[in-house]
């Protein structure tokens, strides 16, 4: 991993299928002087030999693509948002994954973006306008803000991109290793788990008749102590809001690099 962090990150874009197909985007990029090749993991990904001034391309200005790593693309795909569903993007940030969710939903349904930083949400709205993504609601709030109570049990799917180590950003901007101070892994993990526990309350309680309550958690790396997964048990406050009964839905935690966490939650209708 350390060796990879000392190499230049590949330039990967996600084709916006609300504007064009992957093939149409590749053809246009070639006309604009680039040589895209298919990605290796995501069907929406194209890799470019060099970054260049992508923002000056007509295809970019018209919202045909977004710069986004394949790992981030796959995260949105794992949620499998159905057209017509209500999807909540918690910790939405500047909206890269939110834009992908909107495309996967084919702009049908309700897409809600939540983040505590207003400037990032402003960027999200600008990107949504360029990409043609319909965002039903943008909420500037912390994960523990009571304003989110009205969304409890309202989401068919919730995507949590919790604050993490930022290793991906460091790879593209190596000087940040000498400039930024990061909280300890233990402190960050506590915040992640609190965000996750509260985000789980947003998932709609719905299970098919032939399934029982289901909460599935992929085991965390040994670097994370087992007690850190205590969030899976509801607190007294959670139980007061949602009396014992069907689970909030299936959800899976995908940790990596020790303190990095990506989370996907869906209602029990399909699970993850």
């Amino acid at each position: 991993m350390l060796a990879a962090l000392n190499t230049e990150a590949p330039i990967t874009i996600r084709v916006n299928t609300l504007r064009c197909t992957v093939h149409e985007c590749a053809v246009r990029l070639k006309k604009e002087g680039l040589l895209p090749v298919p990605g290796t993991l995501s069907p929406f990904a194209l890799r470019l030999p060099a970054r260049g001034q992508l923002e000056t391309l007509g295809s970019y200005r018209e919202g045909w693509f977004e710069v986004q790593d394949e790992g981030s693309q796959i995260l949105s795909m794992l949620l499998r948002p159905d057209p017509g569903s209500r999807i909540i993007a918690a910790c939405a940030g500047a909206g890269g994954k939110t834009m992908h969710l909107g495309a996967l939903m084919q702009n049908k349904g309700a897409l809600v973006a939540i983040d505590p930083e207003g400037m990032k949400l402003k960027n999200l709205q600008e990107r949504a306008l360029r990409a043609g993504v319909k965002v039903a609601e943008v909420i500037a709030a912390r994960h523990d803000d009571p304003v989110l109570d009205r969304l409890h049990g309202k989401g068919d799917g919730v995507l949590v991109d919790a604050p993490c180590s930022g290793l991906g950003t460091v790879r593209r901007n190596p000087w940040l290793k000498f400039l930024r101070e990061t909280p300890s892994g233990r402190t960050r993990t506590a915040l992640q788990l609190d965000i996750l526990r509260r985000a789980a309350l947003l998932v709609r309680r719905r299970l098919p008749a032939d399934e029982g309550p289901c909460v599935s958690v992929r085991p965390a790396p040994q670097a994370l102590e087992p007690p850190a997964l205590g969030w899976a048990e509801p607190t007294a406050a959670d139980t007061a809001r949602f009396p014992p009964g069907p689970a909030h839905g299936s959800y899976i935690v995908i940790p990596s690099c020790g303190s990095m966490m990506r989370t996907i939650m869906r209602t029990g209708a399909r699970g993850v």
Side-chain angles (χ1 to χ4, degrees):
M1 184 178 71
L2 294 177
L5 291 177
N6 285 325
T7 61
E8 185 177 359
I11 307 303
T12 306
I13 65 173
R14 175 185 56 79
V15 176
N16 178 16
T17 52
L18 294 176
R19 298 292 198 202
C20 61
T21 66
V22 175
H23 175 71
E24 289 170 340
C25 187
V27 170
R28 182 167 183 181
L29 288 172
K30 289 179 181 179
K31 292 180 179 179
E32 293 175 327
L34 298 177
L35 297 174
V37 296
T40 58
L41 301 173
S42 168
F44 308 105
L46 291 173
R47 288 197 171 190
L48 304 177
R51 177 177 294 274
Q53 298 296 320
L54 298 182
E55 297 82 1
T56 65
L57 300 177
S59 54
Y60 175 83
R61 294 196 302 270
E62 295 171 25
W64 280 40
F65 69 86
E66 290 270 355
V67 177
Q68 187 178 45
D69 289 336
E70 289 188 81
S72 295
Q73 297 181 36
I74 290 174
L75 182 68
S76 301
M77 293 164 58
L78 285 173
L79 187 59
R80 294 180 295 182
D82 298 317
S85 59
R86 185 186 185 92
I87 301 298
I88 300 174
C91 307
K97 298 177 185 67
T98 307
M99 299 302 102
H100 194 190
L101 290 171
L104 293 172
M105 295 167 64
Q106 302 172 26
N107 264 348
K108 299 175 182 178
L111 182 58
V112 180
I114 305 171
D115 198 87
E117 298 189 34
M119 288 302 297
K120 288 184 177 181
L121 291 177
K122 181 180 178 181
N123 191 354
L124 181 149
Q125 291 174 301
E126 293 173 352
R127 294 172 73 175
L129 182 63
R130 184 179 68 248
V133 173
K134 296 178 181 178
V135 181
E137 189 173 7
V138 175
I139 305 174
R142 279 177 48 88
H143 66 285
D144 54 0
D145 194 319
V147 73
L148 302 179
D149 288 354
R150 62 183 176 84
L151 295 178
H152 286 178
K154 299 295 179 63
D156 295 302
V158 177
L159 187 148
V160 178
D161 188 1
C164 64
S165 64
L167 291 179
T169 301
V170 169
R171 189 179 181 190
R172 285 181 169 74
N173 305 281
W175 58 86
L176 292 179
K177 290 184 288 187
F178 306 100
L179 297 179
R180 63 186 296 177
E181 294 183 2
T182 58
S184 68
R186 190 174 298 274
T187 300
R188 188 186 296 111
T189 299
L191 174 61
Q192 291 173 335
L193 294 174
D194 188 41
I195 292 173
L196 176 59
R197 183 182 65 80
R198 294 174 186 274
L201 297 174
L202 306 180
V203 183
R204 190 187 308 279
R205 297 171 62 195
R206 183 184 66 193
L207 289 173
D210 61 344
E211 290 189 20
C214 173
V215 177
S216 59
V217 181
R218 179 177 298 175
Q222 293 182 357
L224 293 179
E225 297 178 2
L229 297 179
W231 58 267
E233 297 297 329
T235 65
D238 297 339
T239 304
R241 286 195 179 100
F242 296 94
H248 298 302
S250 300
Y251 52 96
I252 183 169
V253 182
I254 309 177
S256 62
C257 301
S259 61
M260 296 179 68
M261 179 179 290
R262 297 291 187 270
T263 306
I264 300 183
M265 291 179 256
R266 278 192 60 91
T267 57
R270 289 176 59 183
V272 181

